[in-house]
Amino acid sequence: PACQATRYPGDEELDIVDTKRSPGVRRMMARAGSQSTFKESREDLKIYAGLEVSAKGIERVAEGIGQAMEVWSNRQEEESLRDEPVRSEKTIPLLYLSYDGTGVPMTEEELRGRPGKQADGSSKTREAKLGCVFTQTSTDAKGFPVRDPDSTSFVGAIESAENFGWRIYGEAVRRGLPKAQRVIVLVDGAKWIKNLAQMHFSEATFIIDLYHARQHVSELCKILFARNEKKIGQQRICWWTDLDEGTVEKIIRQAQQFLPHGAEAKKKAKTGIHFLEQNKEHMRYAAFRAQGLFVGSGVVEAGCKTLIGQRLKQSGMEWSLRGANAIISLRCMIKSGRFEDYWESRAL
């Protein structure tokens, strides 16, 4: 009577306060909603568990749990940053960081006033940034690097590059950044990606993904040799070989001899050559391979397709910022093997 408040300790113990469903049911709904459309998730739960829930109910629960996991993950990262030791025994041979972006279709409200690549200058998507951290301790019999089993964790969100930079840095610290003997940042050459590497991982070995480098050289060949398909093909093969050998200066020197006469084409060619000049030290692929390092960012590329694309980029989908980030958080937790850790922490 004095405090005019009511509590139900039994409900608190069972974690059913302000909800109609038990933690076990909410866990199933969240996981199902993260894997397929909410309508499909409803049908799956009915078949697999005999549970009658609505698609909207799954949406609400999945997004709510995704947001709660984001808060829980942020708290863990803050604790890792706060407890970061000044000196630490270097017990992780190689720690890799890789991150990229992919467009997610959004509702009209979320896109209002945002420039894009449509003919009228508008946008249909917003960029979801995805990062991964993994370790390597060995190479195979042929000297190729081997990713440590179950060592890959993911973080991601639709947010500014600045905020994402702190997100990937926090995950790297949580995964043992201070304990790493060597840190490798393996990414494409986008400006925002390179800026984050310089800001948060300035002492890391920076490697431009080989396949992005090859794509860049292919585009340069098309600019330099216009419609001469035979010449484009021949030069591409030659320069890809030079890339593999890490002799980027040879590509630059030869490309400068083939500059087109047209002002627009010449400008594009010079921009392409300038990219190679700026990043040549990050394209020493023969040297990187000799050290037993990865030179391809296939892990995060695959993550963009499977973790984000397969769930959030299906035909006809449009997301709110809140909903997209909640599902991205859920899927990152599941792919990182942290889904059950979250539920165990709730039971403590």
Side-chain angles (χ1 to χ4, degrees), residues 17 31 47 80 147 190 199 226 247 255 318:
V17 177
R31 187 177 182 92
I47 293 171
S80 297
R147 184 159 41 110
M199 178 181 294
T247 54
E318 288 184 344

Side-chain angles (χ1 to χ4, degrees), residues 162-182:
E162 181 181 0
N163 288 343
F164 179 77
W166 288 107
R167 182 184 296 273
I168 188 67
Y169 175 71
E171 178 65 6
V173 172
R174 188 189 72 82
R175 291 294 311 279
L177 179 65
K179 299 179 181 180
Q181 296 175 15
R182 190 174 183 185

